Amino acid sequence: MDTSEQRRHNERDGHAGRAEAAAGEAPGGGLPAWLVARGLIPETGPKRLLAAATFINMIGKGLFMAGAALFFTRSVGIPVAQVGLALGAAALIGLVAGIPVGHLADRRGPREVYRIAVVVQALAVAALVFVHTFPWLIAAMCVAELANSAGTAARGPLTRAVGAPNPTRYRSYLRALNNIAAGCGALAAGVVVQLDTRTAYVSLVLGNAVAFLVCAAIASRIPPVPPVNVPEESGRWLALKDKPYVVLTALDGIMSIQTQVLIFALPLWIIGHTEAPRWFVGASVAVNTALVVCLQVRASRGIDSNRAAGRVVRRAGVAFLFATALIAAAGGAPGWVAVVVVALGVVVHTVGELWHTAASFELSFGLAPAHAQGQYSGLYGIGQGLSNAIGPPLLGLVCIGWGEPGWLVMGALFLVVGQLMPHVVNWSDRTRAHTPG
């Protein structure tokens, strides 16, 4: 039975169970039932637990992302160039853990592997307070990034199991929640940066480690997810042998460069190439974050099959082209015109981002066999991780270095990738139809 057939069975069995669970969680209605009805909290206990664990985890990551560079440079005293090299190298090395740990999660159960990965990450982050030299920084960050990649791979099958019968919608809810958590973490990091003392920076690092430990403790309360039986015909490293999925991973990695457009390329463009006021840099990011929080779940509606996801990715590519064209048009325009044009570009880009993200969630689940969700999740994470590594330098070269034509080139790249992905989805569906297991 393939993934789509299993999902249909899950939907038939899941709707009644979900309603019963929701009723059991909130007998007689009240505030919990009101929150569930409006989509503010999940309807079942396991979904709420995973959402809480994810929220706490992301607060810790928000703390670290916003304050790590300053901790290493101002408190530890390591040069900026070495910090950048260590963080980049650790991120790339961390990607190798995804597939093998995902495979382990498939065989041993994703909840247990996820908990272990988060605890290891907490210990590695806590060890950073003892780092004083460049080699030890690389060592600690490599362990932390390996654990992060491992946790991401294990969280894939855990989210799919807990989020049934519609894991894409549930994962969209988690993404909206993550944006709120990351904002909270960044605000807390802002206080630390303002204090600018060794004690404050150490508190930031240890707060991140504590957040990971709390996440692991909450995850331990999620019911265990038993491994899915593996068909005898299946090979060990199925994901790497799945050519359509490998191609899809590469294309999605290219499309995922769009996540760097608003947080990396746009601020440099606004300040260096437009007459828009500097404060608009923060405002543009805030608009994007607010739209994602409010609309990500809504954007996932109707994306309930691989073909539907392919069509939505195609629309996302068109949206990205229009958005980059609008942003390019702001170059050299008067201040108020630049603000209006860039604001429109941000909104259009965010619409494309919502579509791409929801479709990516669906494809990462729907094109992977049920018994190999972990290793497929690990493979998919490699594409997204590489996009974070190559995105900033590519956008800096093309969009900032080439100016207005560069923005149009990036938009055309997103458009082409969006047009190709539905064809790869169809190829994957045909391949799975003729492949046992």
Side-chain angles (χ1 to χ4, degrees):
M1 181 182 294
D2 64 23
T3 305
S4 58
E5 291 174 351
Q6 287 178 337
R7 181 173 297 181
R8 285 192 291 270
H9 282 289
N10 286 339
E11 287 189 18
R12 284 195 294 268
D13 297 336
H15 286 307
R18 183 172 59 183
E20 292 173 3
E25 295 283 342
L31 180 60
W34 184 86
L35 294 174
V36 168
R38 282 151 183 79
L40 299 178
I41 63 172
E43 63 273 15
T44 64
K47 288 183 179 180
R48 295 178 190 177
L49 288 170
L50 182 55
T54 302
F55 184 81
I56 297 298
N57 184 295
M58 199 62 199
I59 287 179
K61 288 184 178 180
L63 269 170
F64 191 76
M65 289 187 295
L70 290 172
F71 166 70
F72 295 134
T73 55
R74 296 185 63 80
S75 179
V76 181
I78 297 176
V80 174
Q82 291 185 357
V83 170
L85 177 61
L87 295 179
L92 291 176
I93 292 172
L95 295 177
V96 305
I99 297 177
V101 173
H103 179 70
L104 180 64
D106 291 327
R107 302 284 68 81
R108 302 299 181 185
R111 186 197 69 170
E112 289 70 20
V113 175
Y114 178 65
R115 287 168 54 203
I116 293 173
V118 174
V119 170
V120 171
Q121 193 174 6
L123 297 176
V125 169
L128 291 173
V129 301
F130 303 105
V131 167
H132 296 287
T133 61
F134 177 63
W136 283 109
L137 172 61
I138 287 185
M141 286 306 304
C142 282
V143 174
E145 287 295 338
L146 285 167
N148 178 55
S149 180
T152 300
R155 193 173 62 241
L158 182 61
T159 302
R160 180 182 184 274
V162 172
N166 194 336
T168 296
R169 183 176 177 83
Y170 179 61
R171 194 168 173 182
S172 295
Y173 170 82
L174 293 181
R175 182 172 188 253
L177 200 66
N178 282 347
N179 275 267
I180 299 173
C184 294
L187 288 174
V191 176
V192 170
V193 172
Q194 182 65 34
L195 294 173
D196 197 31
T197 64
R198 170 71 181 177
T199 300
Y201 285 119
V202 168
S203 299
L204 180 147
V205 173
L206 294 180
N208 185 13
V210 169
F212 288 146
L213 292 176
V214 173
C215 168
I218 296 174
S220 67
R221 299 181 59 194
I222 300 172
V225 177
V228 178
N229 293 330
V230 181
E232 295 181 1
E233 301 86 353
S234 297
R236 183 175 183 182
W237 302 113
L238 187 62
L240 293 175
K241 299 175 183 178
D242 191 334
K243 294 180 181 178
Y245 202 90
V246 171
V247 173
L248 185 78
T249 295
L251 291 176
D252 186 74
I254 296 173
M255 186 73 95
S256 294
I257 293 174
Q258 59 84 12
T259 62
Q260 304 291 323
V261 168
L262 299 187
I263 62 176
F264 178 81
L266 184 60
L268 296 175
W269 182 252
I270 290 175
I271 292 174
H273 298 266
T274 77
E275 299 298 324
R278 289 176 177 266
W279 59 261
F280 192 62
V281 170
S284 62
V285 175
V287 168
N288 170 259
T289 301
L291 290 175
V292 169
V293 169
C294 295
L295 300 178
Q296 185 62 74
V297 174
R298 183 181 296 274
S300 69
R301 293 177 182 174
I303 307 177
D304 53 3
S305 68
N306 298 329
R307 291 182 180 273
R311 291 193 297 269
V312 170
V313 173
R314 178 177 287 161
R315 294 205 305 264
V318 175
F320 291 141
L321 176 60
F322 276 108
T324 53
L326 285 167
I327 293 172
W336 67 271
V337 175
V339 168
V340 172
V341 173
V342 170
L344 289 174
V346 169
V347 171
V348 175
H349 182 94
T350 304
V351 171
E353 179 183 343
L354 294 169
W355 284 339
H356 167 239
T357 301
S360 181
F361 291 161
E362 177 68 22
L363 294 174
S364 66
F365 290 132
L367 294 178
H371 64 272
Q373 287 282 320
Q375 62 168 291
Y376 272 74
S377 177
L379 174 60
Y380 214 72
I382 290 177
Q384 296 177 337
L386 288 175
S387 75
N388 292 331
I390 68 175
L394 178 63
L395 292 170
L397 172 65
V398 177
C399 296
I400 307 304
W402 297 356
E404 287 88 346
W407 284 97
L408 297 178
V409 168
M410 284 306 304
L413 176 62
F414 294 141
L415 176 68
V416 170
V417 172
Q419 298 302 306
L420 289 176
M421 286 186 72
H423 298 290
V424 178
V425 170
N426 294 337
W427 175 26
S428 181
D429 281 338
R430 291 194 303 270
T431 301
R432 288 187 306 116
H434 295 89
T435 302

